[in-house]
Amino acid sequence: MSLTDSQQELERLARKGPQERHETSVVASPGARATAWAVKVKSNSSYNVYNVRAVEIGDPGSLPVELGQEAKAVNLAESFLSQGTLSAGTYVLMCRVGDRNVFYAEP
């Protein structure tokens, strides 16, 4: 269901009287964005925070292609109080949680 369809459904439900309404759940979301991205670890920034860059996975036997600019992401598998040891060049799946990028990868 697109955002426009969701808005139209909400408007239709609002026009109905209370006796005509049936319990319905409608979720509207701005845009259709990926909730997770494949990224390549470029370097350690500090502690368990890494510089990463999104990649596009191609056909089998081809190398992933780097996209966009570097971003920072937190490795939840490492201590928040000591220097991270994850190797540059590691590919991980990154998610957005609140205002932070996070991933989980054992060093």
Side-chain angles (χ1 to χ4, degrees):
M1 197 177 240
S2 71
L3 182 58
T4 304
D5 292 338
S6 298
Q7 289 173 334
Q8 289 173 349
E9 179 67 13
L10 289 172
E11 290 169 2
R12 187 182 65 75
L13 290 171
R15 286 192 300 269
K16 287 187 174 185
Q19 65 279 9
E20 295 179 36
R21 289 187 194 148
H22 302 286
E23 183 141 349
T24 304
S25 297
V26 177
V27 177
S29 172
R33 295 182 12 177
T35 57
W37 304 264
V39 297
K40 180 179 182 179
V41 173
K42 301 301 282 181
S43 63
N44 181 266
S45 177
S46 65
Y47 294 94
N48 64 336
V49 179
Y50 290 85
N51 297 311
V52 299
R53 193 162 176 195
V55 295
E56 181 178 333
I57 306 298
D59 293 329
S62 66
L63 292 174
V65 177
E66 294 183 7
L67 305 170
Q69 297 179 342
E70 286 188 10
K72 294 201 183 304
V74 176
N75 184 0
L76 299 175
E78 294 181 310
S79 170
F80 286 82
L81 302 176
S82 60
Q83 190 66 23
T85 59
L86 190 63
S87 299
T90 302
Y91 292 92
V92 297
L93 188 63
M94 179 182 79
C95 300
R96 185 89 175 155
V97 177
D99 63 346
R100 301 270 189 231
N101 295 317
V102 299
F103 65 91
Y104 185 94
E106 294 285 337

Coordinates of all heavy atoms in Angstrom, one line a residue, residues 40-53 66 70-75 78 83-90 103:
K40 N 30.7 -2.0 3.7 CA 32.0 -2.4 3.9 C 32.7 -1.6 4.9 O 32.6 -0.3 4.9 CB 32.8 -2.3 2.5 CG 34.2 -2.8 2.6 CD 34.8 -2.6 1.2 CE 36.3 -3.1 1.2 NZ 36.9 -3.0 -0.2
V41 N 33.4 -2.2 5.9 CA 34.1 -1.5 6.9 C 35.4 -0.9 6.3 O 36.1 -1.7 5.7 CB 34.4 -2.4 8.1 CG1 35.3 -1.7 9.1 CG2 33.2 -2.9 8.8
K42 N 35.5 0.4 6.4 CA 36.7 1.0 5.8 C 37.8 1.2 6.8 O 39.0 1.0 6.5 CB 36.3 2.4 5.3 CG 35.2 2.4 4.2 CD 35.6 1.5 3.0 CE 36.6 2.3 2.1 NZ 37.0 1.6 0.9
S43 N 37.5 1.6 8.1 CA 38.5 1.8 9.1 C 37.8 2.0 10.5 O 36.6 2.2 10.5 CB 39.3 3.1 8.8 OG 38.5 4.2 8.8
N44 N 38.6 1.9 11.5 CA 38.1 2.2 12.9 C 38.1 3.7 13.1 O 39.2 4.3 12.9 CB 38.9 1.4 13.9 CG 38.4 1.6 15.3 OD1 38.9 2.4 16.0 ND2 37.4 0.8 15.7
S45 N 37.1 4.2 13.6 CA 37.0 5.7 14.0 C 37.5 5.9 15.4 O 38.5 6.6 15.6 CB 35.6 6.2 13.8 OG 35.6 7.6 14.2
S46 N 36.8 5.2 16.3 CA 37.2 5.2 17.7 C 36.4 4.2 18.5 O 35.2 4.0 18.1 CB 37.1 6.6 18.4 OG 35.8 7.0 18.4
Y47 N 36.9 3.6 19.5 CA 36.2 2.6 20.3 C 35.6 1.6 19.4 O 36.3 1.0 18.5 CB 35.2 3.2 21.3 CG 35.9 4.1 22.3 CD1 36.0 5.4 22.2 CD2 36.4 3.5 23.5 CE1 36.7 6.2 23.2 CE2 37.0 4.2 24.5 CZ 37.1 5.6 24.3 OH 37.8 6.4 25.3
N48 N 34.3 1.4 19.5 CA 33.6 0.4 18.6 C 32.8 1.1 17.5 O 31.8 0.6 17.0 CB 32.6 -0.5 19.4 CG 31.5 0.3 20.1 OD1 31.6 1.5 20.3 ND2 30.4 -0.4 20.4
V49 N 33.3 2.3 17.1 CA 32.7 3.1 16.0 C 33.6 2.9 14.8 O 34.8 3.1 14.9 CB 32.5 4.5 16.4 CG1 31.9 5.3 15.3 CG2 31.6 4.7 17.7
Y50 N 33.0 2.6 13.6 CA 33.7 2.4 12.4 C 33.2 3.3 11.3 O 32.1 3.7 11.3 CB 33.5 0.9 12.0 CG 34.3 -0.1 12.9 CD1 33.7 -0.5 14.0 CD2 35.5 -0.5 12.6 CE1 34.3 -1.4 14.9 CE2 36.2 -1.4 13.4 CZ 35.6 -1.8 14.6 OH 36.3 -2.6 15.4
N51 N 34.1 3.6 10.4 CA 33.8 4.2 9.1 C 33.4 3.1 8.2 O 34.1 2.2 8.0 CB 35.0 5.0 8.6 CG 35.4 6.1 9.5 OD1 34.6 6.9 10.0 ND2 36.7 6.2 9.9
V52 N 32.2 3.3 7.6 CA 31.7 2.3 6.7 C 31.2 2.9 5.4 O 31.0 4.1 5.4 CB 30.5 1.4 7.3 CG1 31.0 0.7 8.5 CG2 29.3 2.3 7.6
R53 N 31.0 2.1 4.3 CA 30.5 2.7 3.1 C 29.6 1.6 2.5 O 29.9 0.5 2.4 CB 31.7 2.9 2.1 CG 31.3 3.7 0.9 CD 32.5 4.3 0.3 NE 32.1 5.0 -0.9 CZ 33.0 5.4 -1.9 NH1 34.3 5.1 -1.7 NH2 32.6 6.0 -2.9
E66 N 31.2 0.0 -4.3 CA 31.0 0.9 -3.2 C 30.1 2.1 -3.7 O 30.3 2.5 -4.9 CB 32.3 1.5 -2.7 CG 33.1 0.4 -2.0 CD 34.4 0.9 -1.4 OE1 34.7 2.1 -1.4 OE2 35.2 0.1 -0.9
E70 N 31.2 7.8 3.0 CA 31.4 7.0 4.2 C 30.5 7.6 5.3 O 30.1 8.7 5.3 CB 32.9 7.1 4.7 CG 33.8 6.3 3.9 CD 35.2 6.3 4.5 OE1 35.4 6.7 5.6 OE2 36.1 5.8 3.8
A71 N 30.1 6.7 6.2 CA 29.3 7.0 7.3 C 29.9 6.3 8.6 O 30.8 5.5 8.4 CB 27.9 6.5 7.1
K72 N 29.4 6.7 9.7 CA 29.9 6.1 10.9 C 28.8 5.1 11.4 O 27.7 5.3 11.3 CB 30.2 7.1 12.0 CG 31.3 8.0 11.7 CD 31.9 8.7 12.9 CE 33.0 9.7 12.6 NZ 34.1 9.1 11.8
A73 N 29.3 3.9 12.0 CA 28.4 2.9 12.5 C 29.0 2.2 13.7 O 30.2 2.1 13.8 CB 28.1 1.9 11.4
V74 N 28.2 1.9 14.6 CA 28.6 1.3 15.9 C 28.5 -0.3 15.8 O 27.5 -0.8 15.4 CB 27.7 1.7 17.1 CG1 28.1 1.1 18.4 CG2 27.8 3.3 17.2
N75 N 29.6 -1.0 16.1 CA 29.6 -2.4 16.2 C 29.1 -2.9 17.6 O 29.8 -2.7 18.6 CB 31.0 -3.0 15.9 CG 30.9 -4.5 15.8 OD1 29.9 -5.1 16.0 ND2 32.1 -5.1 15.6
E78 N 31.2 -5.4 20.0 CA 32.4 -5.0 20.7 C 32.1 -4.1 21.9 O 31.0 -3.5 21.9 CB 33.3 -4.3 19.7 CG 33.9 -5.2 18.6 CD 34.8 -4.5 17.7 OE1 34.5 -3.4 17.2 OE2 35.9 -5.0 17.5
Q83 N 39.1 -0.1 22.4 CA 39.3 0.1 21.0 C 38.8 -1.2 20.2 O 39.1 -2.3 20.6 CB 40.8 0.3 20.7 CG 41.1 0.7 19.3 CD 40.6 2.1 19.0 OE1 40.3 2.9 19.8 NE2 40.4 2.4 17.7
G84 N 38.0 -0.9 19.1 CA 37.5 -2.0 18.3 C 38.7 -2.7 17.5 O 39.7 -2.1 17.2
T85 N 38.5 -3.9 17.1 CA 39.5 -4.7 16.4 C 39.0 -5.3 15.1 O 39.7 -6.2 14.5 CB 40.0 -5.8 17.3 OG1 39.0 -6.7 17.7 CG2 40.7 -5.2 18.6
L86 N 37.8 -4.9 14.6 CA 37.3 -5.5 13.4 C 38.1 -5.0 12.2 O 38.5 -3.9 12.1 CB 35.8 -5.0 13.2 CG 35.0 -5.7 12.1 CD1 34.9 -7.1 12.4 CD2 33.7 -5.0 12.0
S87 N 38.4 -6.0 11.3 CA 39.3 -5.7 10.2 C 38.6 -4.9 9.1 O 37.5 -5.1 8.8 CB 39.8 -7.0 9.5 OG 40.5 -7.8 10.5
A88 N 39.4 -3.9 8.6 CA 38.9 -3.2 7.4 C 38.7 -4.1 6.3 O 39.4 -5.1 6.1 CB 40.0 -2.1 7.0
G89 N 37.7 -3.9 5.4 CA 37.4 -4.8 4.3 C 36.3 -5.8 4.7 O 35.8 -6.5 3.8
T90 N 35.9 -5.8 5.9 CA 34.8 -6.8 6.3 C 33.5 -6.2 5.8 O 33.2 -5.0 5.9 CB 34.8 -6.9 7.9 OG1 36.0 -7.3 8.3 CG2 33.7 -7.8 8.4
F103 N 25.6 -2.2 13.6 CA 25.8 -3.5 13.0 C 26.3 -4.4 14.1 O 26.8 -4.0 15.1 CB 26.6 -3.5 11.7 CG 28.1 -3.1 12.0 CD1 29.0 -4.1 12.3 CD2 28.5 -1.8 11.9 CE1 30.4 -3.7 12.5 CE2 29.8 -1.4 12.1 CZ 30.8 -2.4 12.4

